[in-house]
């Protein structure tokens, strides 16, 4: 991938001078008044898809046949690149798209001893070298490029394709990416037709090889954008904003790349306007004209001083917008808008993390990037819903494990006040490793949510001198691209050795939280975070271990040998100001790495505080209690439906943060207990059906309640969504919760009723799930069993305004109906 050279200046022009301005116009500039001088088209619809074959050219549309694939540019590569190729029998799909989530499962007949985790890592999907018929995917669509684009710069932006991708335009191989996670750009200017002849885009994706030890999906699973810009323009990732709070205001340093793809030199002027969160223009800078040679790219530096500034924070994620314009002879020919935030970051070895000079404990979650029903092809609205679940729990930070995050996720973290550790996939200073790091940082460094760059995770060489050299090179590259942020690396050993810990700014501890104090005793000034903590395992809604059924009880007691419970790690971090915070493994369950049962039919992990659908497990309420202490909470577990166990003791826990909790069964008090700091309460209660209730009090006043009611037989369904009014943009979606109830309306906590989903109107059903880590039912379909009383459907706009109705039914149950309204248009 060609990279923009910030130092490619016109010979003889000298350093391009910057400009400083504090002047502000009083009139607001609404977003709709910013006329787009470039055209950006999200290529979501109109795709055709078909599986190829990783071993048989005849089944891979001729790719690799005759051993002359790259002999000549043109149509030698593949039959599927020809403009008249008949793809009418290919599937019609929408991007983002993950084809792996539609594949069946293929557990091996036998696994060599010691390789169980390797076999289970990707959740037993039938993909990889053993399944060549499933491991290559082909995409085709026409590009909306024509005569109006002649003489302009035209390129494609891919936010993420898993994995090795080959981009073909009009038969020409124009680029691609080996990385399944780093965003990339492909310049297609010289390969397009501008005479009315159709422009054909073909993409080959080979997911035969993985990059992780978890489910990674397959295909064009993040958005693709076509950009047509003037010949003189700001290239992709060409604006870098550094906003520094100062004396109640802020200094805004701006570096802007300008490119001239024309055939003659051009005199370019840069104009920047800063728009505050309320829409007012609060600052601007005009950089003087500078001559830019044909074919050159140059960097311009400007500074804007704001007299007052609203700082970005977790509580108030205020976002500014920088509007950057390229002018020739006073006329704007290109315009780019860059959201940014104004905030300061500081890590201190003795006092922890500071945001805007205020101490903030990082209460974080690590997350992979898949969800029930859709796999890795997560729509932006579902990203938003997932962030909201973590914020509900009290999390203020997110670690993108173990790869660069989606731009949609970062945009939403910016908007929702969720801090982010962005992590590169390769801990290597080889060309590929450096290129992936470059792409991650250049694409994402304007996001205020990012507080650290992570250069690795549990690397085998982390404690060695080689590990130090590699991480030091990555850290140096990161700081050359972004001097405003520090770096970290997630390590599970080697902290005392002359390895990566000596190369990074903030030392990451994966687990071993109880060893941090000893490290701090000898390294008191070294900032430290728990990059991975906990790894408690649980099956949502289950309260007894059953190894044969692959079920783990949901009390905070079960974890692998190397991990800890929530209540073991959090008090250490909460009470030590020198530990900046911790990131639990994980916020959500994820496909693959099915710990503690690395055997079929376990196909997803058990680590999440929330399951694969985003339904909370009981541990989520432990964190909710102590991460949101200002909001009183009590949470009871387990459920109270135990037929055949009359008189037998049931282990009852209460998570909460009230000063005391009283437990009552059928109105009779079972005692009052004081809630221990960062702890929980336990009773042993002989089972009697009825109502179990916990009452939380502060200073003698009731401030919180929770109750569990013995349920009868399943009788009806409840269906609902947080939003039923959605945009008719083809992307917006709702996560629909389905719950099985008894005749009295009580949840039936053990129901596994088969459910049917019928959707009509202006929407499509893009996935279903239930949070069961052993479920092997299809993610794409119209049926799903409830799991411990719950199921989920993901309903998405089909791009047309109007209403939609989802009817959920089950044998012997009263149907439930949800009406949704999709408004506006694309």
């Amino acid at each position: 991938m060609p990279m923009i050279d910030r130092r490619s200046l016109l010979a003889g022009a000298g350093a391009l001078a910057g400009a400083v301005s504090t002047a502000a116009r009083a009139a607001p500039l609404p977003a709709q008044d910013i006329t787009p001088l470039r055209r950006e088209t999200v290529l979501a619809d109109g795709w055709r898809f078909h599986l190829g074959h990783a071993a048989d050219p005849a089944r891979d549309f001729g790719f690799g046949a005759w051993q002359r694939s790259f002999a000549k540019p043109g149509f030698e590569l593949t039959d599927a690149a020809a403009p008249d190729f008949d793809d009418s029998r290919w599937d019609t799909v929408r991007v983002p798209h993950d084809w792996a989530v539609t594949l069946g499962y293929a557990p091996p007949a036998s696994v060599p001893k010691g390789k169980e985790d390797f076999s289970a890592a990707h959740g037993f999907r039938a993909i990889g070298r053993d399944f060549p018929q499933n491991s290559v995917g082909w995409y085709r669509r026409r590009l909306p490029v024509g005569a109006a684009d002649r003489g302009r710069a035209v390129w494609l932006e891919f936010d993420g394709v898993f994995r090795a991708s080959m981009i073909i335009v009009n038969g020409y191989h124009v680029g691609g990416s080996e990385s399944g996670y780093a965003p990339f750009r492909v310049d297609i200017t010289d390969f397009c037709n501008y005479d009315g002849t159709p422009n054909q885009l073909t993409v080959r994706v080979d997911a035969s090889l993985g990059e992780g030890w978890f489910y990674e999906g397959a295909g064009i699973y993040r958005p693709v954008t076509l950009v047509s810009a003037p010949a003189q323009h700001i290239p992709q990732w060409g604006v870098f904003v550094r906003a520094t709070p100062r004396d109640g205001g802020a200094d805004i340093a701006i570096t802007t790349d300008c490119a001239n793809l024309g055939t003659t030199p051009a005199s370019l002027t840069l104009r920047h306007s800063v728009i505050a969160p309320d829409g007012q223009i609060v600052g601007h800078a005009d950089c003087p004209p500078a001559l830019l040679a044909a074919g050159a790219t140059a960097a311009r530096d400007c500074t804007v001083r704001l007299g007052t500034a609203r700082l970005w924070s977790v509580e108030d994620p205020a976002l500014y917008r920088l509007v950057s314009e390229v002018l020739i002879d006073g006329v704007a020919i290109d315009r780019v808008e860059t959201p940014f935030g104004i905030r300061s970051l500081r890590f201190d070895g003795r006092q922890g993390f500071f945001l805007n000079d205020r101490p903030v404990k990082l209460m974080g979650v690590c997350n992979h990037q898949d969800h029930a029903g859709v796999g890795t092809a997560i729509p932006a609205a579902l990203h938003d819903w997932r962030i909201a679940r973590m914020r509900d729990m009290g999390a203020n930070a997110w670690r993108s494990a173990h790869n660069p995050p989606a731009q949609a996720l970062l945009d939403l973290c910016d908007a929702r006040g969720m801090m982010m550790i962005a992590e590169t996939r390769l801990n290597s200073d080889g060309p590929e490793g450096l290129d992936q790091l470059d792409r991650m940082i250049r694409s994402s460094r304007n996001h205020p949510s990012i507080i650290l760059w992570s250069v690795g995770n549990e690397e085998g060489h982390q404690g060695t001198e080689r590990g130090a050299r590699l991480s030091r090179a990555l850290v140096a590259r990161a700081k050359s691209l972004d001097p405003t942020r520090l770096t970290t690396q997630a390590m599970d050993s080697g902290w005392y050795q002359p390895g990566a810990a000596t190369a990074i700014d903030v030392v990451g501890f994966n687990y071993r939280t109880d060893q941090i104090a000893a490290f701090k005793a000898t390294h008191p000034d070294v900032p430290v975070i728990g990059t991975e903590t906990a790894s408690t395992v649980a099956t949502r809604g289950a309260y007894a271990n059953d190894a044969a059924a692959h079920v783990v009880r949901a009390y905070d007691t079960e974890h692998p040998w190397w991990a800890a419970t929530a209540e073991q790690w959090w008090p250490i971090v909460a009470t030590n100001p020198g530990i900046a915070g911790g990131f639990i493994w994980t916020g959500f369950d994820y496909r693959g790495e099915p710990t503690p049962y690395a055997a079929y039919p376990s196909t997803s992990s058990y680590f999440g505080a929330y399951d694969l659908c985003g339904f909370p497990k009981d541990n989520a309420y432990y964190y909710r209690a102590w991460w949101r202490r200002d909001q009183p909470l009590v949470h009871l577990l387990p459920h109270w439906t135990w037929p055949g166990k009359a008189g037998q003791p049931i282990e009852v826990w209460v998570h909460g943060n009230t000063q005391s909790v009283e437990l009552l069964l059928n109105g009779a008090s079972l005692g009052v207990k004081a809630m221990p700091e960062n702890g929980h309460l336990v009773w042993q209660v002989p089972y009697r059906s009825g109502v179990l209730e916990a009452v939380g009090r502060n200073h003698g006043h009731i401030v919180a309640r929770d109750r569990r009611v013995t349920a009868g037989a399943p009788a009806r369904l409840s269906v609902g969504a947080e939003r039923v009014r959605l945009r008719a943009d083809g992307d917006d979606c709702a996560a629909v919760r389905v719950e099985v109830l008894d005749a009295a309306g009580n949840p039936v906590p053990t129901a596994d009723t088969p459910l049917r989903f019928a959707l009509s109107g202006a929407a499509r059903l893009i996935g279903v799930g239930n949070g069961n880590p052993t479920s092997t039912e299809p993610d794409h379909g119209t049926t799903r069993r409830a799991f411990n009383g719950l199921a989920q459907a993901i309903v998405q706009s089909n791009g047309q305004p109007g209403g939609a109705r989802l009817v959920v039914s089950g044998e012997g149950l009263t149907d439930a109906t949800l009406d949704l309204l999709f408004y506006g248009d694309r």
Side-chain angles (χ1 to χ4, degrees), residues 4-86:
I4 300 297
D5 181 7
R6 290 185 178 277
R7 290 166 291 280
S8 175
L9 302 180
L10 173 67
L16 297 178
V20 178
S21 176
T22 58
R25 307 166 194 164
L29 182 61
Q32 60 266 27
D33 290 344
I34 303 175
T35 304
L37 301 178
R38 59 173 58 203
R39 187 177 82 255
E40 298 185 356
T41 306
V42 178
L43 303 179
D45 296 308
W47 293 89
R48 294 282 191 164
F49 172 79
H50 201 288
L51 287 175
H53 202 284
D56 183 355
R59 297 166 65 186
D60 203 30
F61 306 104
F63 181 75
W66 312 115
Q67 197 64 19
R68 55 179 290 162
S69 300
F70 297 101
K72 299 285 185 181
F75 297 105
E76 302 267 347
L77 274 175
T78 170
D79 300 338
D84 58 353
F85 177 82
D86 182 8

Side-chain angles (χ1 to χ4, degrees), residues 439-631:
R439 286 186 268 160
M440 177 182 77
I441 293 178
R442 287 174 55 82
S443 66
S444 305
R445 58 190 173 181
N446 291 316
H447 290 283
S449 55
I450 296 179
I451 60 171
L452 285 169
W453 302 116
S454 174
V455 298
N457 174 75
E458 295 183 3
E459 308 297 336
H461 50 245
Q462 61 193 353
T464 68
E465 291 184 7
R466 178 184 291 113
R469 291 195 300 269
L470 295 174
S471 292
R472 192 171 291 117
L474 292 171
V475 168
R477 178 63 69 94
K479 292 186 176 181
S480 72
L481 295 169
D482 177 16
T484 72
R485 292 178 178 88
L486 298 181
T487 60
T488 189
Q489 184 167 326
M491 302 175 62
D492 60 350
S493 66
W495 305 285
Y496 296 94
Q497 296 164 342
T502 65
I504 54 179
D505 303 299
V506 180
V507 173
F509 273 71
N510 278 13
Y511 315 107
R512 288 76 176 183
T513 312
D514 57 352
Q515 298 181 30
I516 296 179
F519 178 85
K520 295 294 294 180
T522 56
H523 302 78
D525 295 317
V526 175
V528 168
I529 54 173
T531 37
E532 287 179 25
T533 63
S535 275
T536 313
V537 290
T539 302
R540 174 185 54 78
Y543 300 99
N545 289 332
D546 186 342
H550 290 198
V551 172
V552 185
R553 72 188 212 137
Y555 298 95
D556 184 31
T557 58
E558 309 304 304
H559 60 82
W561 65 267
W562 37 263
T565 66
E567 200 167 327
Q568 286 171 337
W569 82 268
W570 171 244
I572 296 172
V573 173
T575 58
N576 189 329
I579 304 176
F583 291 73
I584 66 170
W585 190 266
T586 52
F588 298 97
D589 282 346
Y590 54 93
R591 290 175 175 82
E593 202 175 24
T595 311
Y597 301 114
Y600 192 77
S602 287
T603 60
S604 71
S605 80
Y606 293 67
F607 290 122
Y610 289 67
D611 69 15
L612 197 62
C613 290
F615 297 136
K617 303 180 190 178
D618 294 285
N619 254 29
Y621 295 96
Y622 172 82
Y623 293 114
R624 163 68 175 75
W626 301 113
W627 287 0
R628 299 181 66 180
R629 299 168 68 111
D630 60 326
Q631 299 189 20

Side-chain angles (χ1 to χ4, degrees), residues 660-673 683-686 688 691-695 697:
S660 66
V661 177
E662 182 178 14
L663 189 67
L664 302 98
L665 178 58
N666 297 328
S669 178
L670 302 179
V672 178
K673 296 184 179 183
W683 279 263
Q684 294 292 332
V685 180
R688 293 198 310 276
V691 179
L692 185 70
E693 184 174 23
V695 177
R697 293 182 174 88

Side-chain angles (χ1 to χ4, degrees), residues 6 36 123 192 243 367 399 443-444 582 629 667 674 770 784 819:
R6 290 185 178 277
C192 288
N367 280 314
R399 174 173 166 239
S443 66
S444 305
R629 299 168 68 111
N770 60 17
R784 192 74 167 197
D819 289 319

Side-chain angles (χ1 to χ4, degrees), residues 238-469:
V239 179
F240 181 24
V241 184
R242 286 90 70 207
T244 305
R246 196 179 310 280
D247 301 327
D251 291 334
I252 315 297
I254 307 162
T255 299
T256 308
D257 291 332
C258 291
N260 179 13
L261 296 190
T263 58
T264 60
S267 179
L268 305 181
T269 299
L270 268 177
R271 181 169 65 201
H272 298 289
S273 300
V274 177
I275 303 176
D278 64 359
Q280 298 289 326
I281 296 179
V282 293
H284 72 273
D286 293 323
C287 299
L291 193 66
L292 189 61
T297 298
R300 305 289 307 275
D301 290 313
C302 294
T303 301
V304 177
R305 169 68 182 167
L306 302 185
T308 59
R310 182 174 158 192
L311 301 186
W312 186 94
S313 67
V314 173
E315 300 80 14
D316 180 24
L319 290 175
Y320 286 72
R321 289 178 288 137
L322 177 72
V323 177
S324 304
E325 297 173 299
V326 179
L327 295 86
I328 294 181
D329 297 330
V331 177
I333 61 166
D334 191 27
R335 181 178 288 120
V336 170
E337 184 174 308
T338 306
F340 70 96
I342 302 170
R343 84 287 184 270
S344 65
L345 308 173
R346 178 163 60 91
F347 284 87
D348 185 279
R350 297 177 185 269
Q351 300 180 65
F353 171 68
F354 291 78
L355 177 63
N356 302 325
D357 290 325
R358 292 178 53 246
V360 175
K361 187 69 77 173
L362 296 173
M363 299 176 291
V365 292
C366 299
N367 280 314
H368 285 307
Q369 54 170 21
D370 69 305
H371 191 90
V374 298
T376 57
I378 300 178
L382 188 54
H383 277 305
D384 199 16
W385 186 87
R386 286 162 60 88
I387 293 170
R389 303 287 74 72
M390 298 296 95
R391 290 306 307 267
D392 286 347
M393 187 174 67
N396 60 17
W398 185 301
R399 174 173 166 239
S400 179
H402 303 287
N403 48 262
Q407 289 300 308
L409 176 61
L410 291 176
D411 289 341
L412 290 161
C413 285
D414 292 344
R416 304 302 182 213
M418 178 69 80
M419 295 178 286
M420 170 69 71
I421 296 178
E423 188 162 283
T424 193
R425 178 78 290 276
L426 282 180
N427 182 248
S428 168
D429 65 355
E432 179 66 21
L434 289 174
D435 185 45
Q436 290 186 25
L437 180 74
D438 285 2
R439 286 186 268 160
M440 177 182 77
I441 293 178
R442 287 174 55 82
S443 66
S444 305
R445 58 190 173 181
N446 291 316
H447 290 283
S449 55
I450 296 179
I451 60 171
L452 285 169
W453 302 116
S454 174
V455 298
N457 174 75
E458 295 183 3
E459 308 297 336
H461 50 245
Q462 61 193 353
T464 68
E465 291 184 7
R466 178 184 291 113
R469 291 195 300 269

Side-chain angles (χ1 to χ4, degrees), residues 634-637 652-656 661 663 675 680-683 694:
V634 291
H635 171 77
L636 259 176
L637 64 145
V652 174
W653 284 32
V654 176
H655 291 308
V661 177
L663 189 67
M675 179 64 71
H680 73 281
L681 297 173
V682 181
W683 279 263

